[in-house]
Amino acid sequence: MKTIELDDDLYFYIASQTRHIGESASDILRRLLEQPARIKAIPPASALADVTPAEPQPVAAGSEALTRLLASGALQQEEKSINRFMLLLSTLYRDDPAGFTQATEIKGRKRVYFSQDPEALRASGSTTKPKPVPETPFWVITNTNTSRKQNMVAQLMASMGYDEALIAEACALV
């Protein structure tokens, strides 16, 4: 395996294209580039000249609360990552309660991340620490690192139709 450096916006775009938790960046890129599971040889540079960038996703209808939150600086003022995470989730729900139901599709290999039943979250792992998302009927596991929280937010926002730039901006503040 080789290591490459990516700009934050490109990283969050790739993360937003994840179909399931645990899917590797290589698998995501292969799918997006419509490549076979394993590539034996690197294509010649001339083959890359015909690559066209993907069309950006539209900003979700009703992103007013999120836009206000990001502009207000309230996320930056929160000292704890968990508080920023919860504030962001409740704002996403306020913008689009129906779209937020997509959160229940975001799962790990063994864990359920979002549910309307805290017992479902507790049953999916021994140290999930479920907490209610403020002002919503949803619960979320909170015993994850910041990177996982950012990934959860990116996947949720992508499924709700937010554009890549807004996803990257929100995830950078979690």
Side-chain angles (χ1 to χ4, degrees), residues 47-109:
L48 298 176
D50 296 331
V51 174
T52 56
E55 289 296 316
Q57 299 171 350
V59 174
S63 62
E64 296 84 23
L66 178 62
T67 304
R68 280 193 308 273
L69 175 68
L70 295 175
S72 74
L75 280 176
Q76 296 92 323
Q77 293 172 3
E78 286 293 336
E79 289 183 27
K80 293 185 177 182
S81 173
I82 187 64
N83 293 343
R84 292 189 300 271
F85 179 60
M86 296 301 241
L87 180 57
L88 186 55
L89 291 176
S90 64
T91 302
L92 292 173
Y93 178 85
R94 200 168 34 257
D95 268 347
D96 184 6
F100 193 91
T101 61
Q102 298 288 330
T104 60
E105 299 300 317
I106 301 171
K107 298 178 170 120
R109 285 179 298 158

Side-chain angles (χ1 to χ4, degrees), residues 4-172:
I4 60 172
E5 291 186 31
L6 300 172
D7 293 333
D8 287 343
D9 61 327
L10 184 55
Y11 168 80
F12 287 117
Y13 172 76
I14 293 168
S16 74
Q17 299 302 308
T18 303
R19 289 195 175 155
H20 61 277
I21 299 295
E23 184 177 27
S24 72
S26 293
D27 291 340
I28 296 166
L29 288 171
R30 280 190 191 100
R31 180 172 33 80
L32 292 174
L33 297 171
E34 298 177 357
Q35 295 293 312
R38 293 274 177 203
I39 300 173
K40 300 284 186 200
I42 298 173
S46 61
L48 298 176
D50 296 331
V51 174
T52 56
E55 289 296 316
Q57 299 171 350
V59 174
S63 62
E64 296 84 23
L66 178 62
T67 304
R68 280 193 308 273
L69 175 68
L70 295 175
S72 74
L75 280 176
Q76 296 92 323
Q77 293 172 3
E78 286 293 336
E79 289 183 27
K80 293 185 177 182
S81 173
I82 187 64
N83 293 343
R84 292 189 300 271
F85 179 60
M86 296 301 241
L87 180 57
L88 186 55
L89 291 176
S90 64
T91 302
L92 292 173
Y93 178 85
R94 200 168 34 257
D95 268 347
D96 184 6
F100 193 91
T101 61
Q102 298 288 330
T104 60
E105 299 300 317
I106 301 171
K107 298 178 170 120
R109 285 179 298 158
K110 298 177 184 175
R111 287 183 165 184
V112 174
Y113 292 149
F114 294 91
S115 179
Q116 291 188 5
D117 176 15
E119 292 309 314
L121 300 177
R122 286 186 189 100
S124 73
S126 59
T127 58
T128 57
K129 297 187 181 178
K131 290 188 179 180
V133 177
E135 302 172 21
T136 79
F138 291 89
W139 288 68
V140 64
I141 66 168
T142 59
N143 190 18
T144 59
N145 61 31
T146 300
S147 177
R148 177 69 65 208
K149 287 179 180 80
Q150 289 171 329
N151 193 334
M152 292 162 59
V153 167
Q155 286 185 56
L156 176 58
M157 290 180 69
S159 72
M160 293 174 72
Y162 288 93
D163 88 350
E164 299 160 23
L166 205 51
I167 293 170
E169 183 180 355
C171 288

